[in-house]
């Protein structure tokens, strides 16, 4: 089955710097890669996703890149702000028609942005 | 509109007791997923439904765990003869089912299960 590895487990940056979180996956059939943000005591919320038919997607300060050949994808946050502090999870699944199927999550990265 | 809701939010039970966890998906959402999240870990897939049909139950740890969604809306996750290792946050998520559409999984607040 699918296995998703995520690095680093913790990341501390200064406000205004960039943050990069990397994930690798094992199942070449996976074609859907979402990123979730989870603030302390709250539920995970989708912040951006990418499908295997594109290599990069950007939404304001957040971007995700995908390398299908190497089976890895990364989250890039630019101009970090204290409110970006949270745990970020990557995930992978096989999306088929209208179904995302079961998401396999990485273990998470705790991002701390210091003012 | 209302998001995914779960009840109870907290459940403390003694080892050996059965528990039933409930999930109310967003109205109109066809797909419903159950995950388990240990402290400091990512959600771990348990099972999911499209409408009332259970599509994949490969993540259920053993036969003490079962789930149902008889009318294609509310779902119940049942754990029989609970053990201490079952203690975790149990989260439900729901999504639309649109070919080529945005089928984002929206998570519920979770049920924190503690088995003494």
């Amino acid at each position: 089955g699918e296995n998703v590895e995520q690095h680093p487990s913790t990341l501390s940056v200064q406000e205004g710097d960039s943050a990069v979180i990397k994930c690798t996956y094992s199942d070449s059939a996976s074609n859907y890669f979402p990123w979730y943000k989870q603030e302390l005591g709250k539920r995970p919320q989708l912040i951006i996703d990418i499908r295997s038919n594109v290599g990069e997607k950007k939404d304001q300060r957040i971007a995700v890149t995908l390398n299908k050949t190497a089976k890895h994808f990364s989250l890039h946050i630019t101009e970090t702000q204290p409110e970006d502090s949270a745990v970020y999870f990557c995930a992978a699944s096989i999306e088929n028609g209208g179904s995302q199927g079961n998401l396999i999550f990485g273990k998470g990265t705790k991002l701390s942005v210091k003012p | 509109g209302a998001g995914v809701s779960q009840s109870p939010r907290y459940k403390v039970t003694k080892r050996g007791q059965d528990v039933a966890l409930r999930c109310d998906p967003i109205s109109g959402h066809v797909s419903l997923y159950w995950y388990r999240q240990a402290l400091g870990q990512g959600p771990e897939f348990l099972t999911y439904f499209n409408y009332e049909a259970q599509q994949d139950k490969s993540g259920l740890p053993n036969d003490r765990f079962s789930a149902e969604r008889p009318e294609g809306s509310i779902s119940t996750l049942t754990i029989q003869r609970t053990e201490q290792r079952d203690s975790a946050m149990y989260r439900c998520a729901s999504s639309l089912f649109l070919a080529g559409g945005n089928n984002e999984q929206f998570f519920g607040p979770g049920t924190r299960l503690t088995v003494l």
Side-chain angles (χ1 to χ4, degrees), chain B residues 15-66:
Chain B
R15 183 166 50 94
Q17 297 294 305
D18 298 350
V19 295
L21 311 181
R22 173 182 164 132
C23 172
D24 276 282
I26 293 172
S27 178
H29 277 196
V30 168
S31 300
L32 184 149
Y33 303 81
W34 282 101
Y35 294 89
R36 177 169 68 176
Q37 187 173 18
L39 201 60
Q41 301 291 317
E44 174 194 8
F45 170 77
L46 297 177
T47 185
Y48 90 96
F49 296 82
N50 284 339
Y51 299 100
E52 72 282 358
Q54 193 169 20
Q55 300 294 313
D56 183 347
K57 57 181 181 178
S58 63
L60 295 176
N62 50 60
D63 60 8
R64 296 186 297 106
F65 288 72
S66 63

Side-chain angles (χ1 to χ4, degrees), chain A residues 42-78:
Chain A
K42 298 193 175 180
R43 67 192 78 184
Q45 290 193 304
L46 180 73
I47 55 171
I48 195 167
D49 57 12
I50 191 168
R51 290 172 170 82
S52 59
N53 57 345
V54 298
E56 184 174 0
K57 184 176 179 181
K58 190 173 182 180
D59 183 3
Q60 299 182 355
R61 296 186 296 109
I62 296 173
V64 59
T65 58
L66 171 66
N67 182 327
K68 288 188 295 182
T69 303
K71 288 189 283 190
H72 67 70
F73 56 113
S74 301
L75 178 71
H76 305 253
I77 306 174
T78 58

